[in-house]
Amino acid sequence: MQSQRPYTLVARFYDELHGDAQRMNRFARNKVLGKILPSVHSVCDLGCGTGTTALELAHRGLKMYAVDLSPTMCRLARQKARRAGLPVRVICSDMRAFRLPEPVDLVICEFNPLNHLPRRADLIRVARSVWRALQPGGYFYFDLNTRRSLQELYPSTHWFEKRSFCMVLHGGYDRRRRKGWLNLEWFLPTGRVWRRHHEHMEDVWWTDQEIRRTLRRAGFSHLRAWDGAKVRPPSPHSHPGYDTYYLAQKF
Ligand SMILES: C[S@@+](CC[C@H](N)C(=O)[O-])C[C@H]1O[C@@H](n2cnc3c(N)ncnc32)[C@H](O)[C@@H]1O
């Protein structure tokens, strides 16, 4: 069995696994940023994954940068942009220290990349890097899974069976370390045999107070927050308290 760095195999099958997330992202983005987007000319998609959002915004004529730590995600995002003939500049970098060639009007960080930071203290590093990446008056938009989500939704087991892979997702919550964790056991066809691979991920959470304090320390103001259930597409499975969407402005 091979152990993989987080977001290596997930990256390869990300679009197949998370198709619905893109619809959710789009819906929430339009709801929160609807009035702001017409005045935005340049955007950075931070923790861009395979670049779906970056491509959508590039398609609307926005100048796009996309940043991700996973080389596989970056390769796939570049590939998708090239195939679509869209000018997205993909930068393989850590969100705690990334730099853009020029400041942008908006930094977007969708579908909880911030929960993946290894240490709670990393949040201020990201906030400062985002602040540096923005024009004065620019916006930082992101969503986060709450503690409740990590404690109640992560402890579970799911089985995915597709043509190109099988995967067992088993998760839990470590109270002492205040982290949610996910073990992904992949089974991939290789010639006539199925090979097993392992990926492990951990997520941290912050209170609303910690988020507000950290963003203020980094120089943001006008912070607004929405419960996920208010901005995601209406669904009988959508309950309040599991994720939060934030919008902050650099002044
Ligand atoms: C759940 S995915 C979200 C991807 C995309 N934003 C979307 O909406 O589908 C989280 C992404 O964050 C990236 N990521 C995790 N830690 C990161 C870091 N420190 N710096 C940059 N990207 C990171 C992962 O590689 C992954 O692509």
Side-chain angles (χ1 to χ4, degrees), residues 7 14 22 25 47 49 68-70 73 93-95 110-111 113:
Y7 283 103
Y14 188 82
Q22 305 311 331
N25 283 349
D68 203 283
L69 184 61
S70 156
M73 286 293 199
S93 180
D94 192 316
M95 65 172 105
E110 289 177 326
F111 206 44

Side-chain angles (χ1 to χ4, degrees), residues 6-8 10-11 14-15 18 21-22 25 29 45-53 67-74 91-98 108-118 122 126 143 201 203:
Y7 283 103
T8 304
V10 174
Y14 188 82
D15 288 348
H18 293 295
Q22 305 311 331
N25 283 349
R29 194 187 316 135
D45 184 4
L46 189 59
C48 65
T50 61
T52 307
T53 295
V67 173
D68 203 283
L69 184 61
S70 156
T72 316
M73 286 293 199
C74 290
I91 300 169
C92 200
S93 180
D94 192 316
M95 65 172 105
R96 290 168 289 183
F98 77 103
I108 267 182
C109 192
E110 289 177 326
F111 206 44
N112 56 66
L114 290 172
N115 285 102
H116 296 318
L117 291 170
D122 287 331
V126 177
D143 62 75
M201 297 193 190
D203 281 354

Side-chain angles (χ1 to χ4, degrees), residues 42-43 65 100-106 131-136 250:
S42 54
V43 183
Y65 295 98
L100 300 179
E102 59 179 343
V104 292
D105 301 327
L106 169 68
W131 193 89
R132 184 179 55 218
L134 283 170
Q135 298 270 18
K250 168 176 175 173

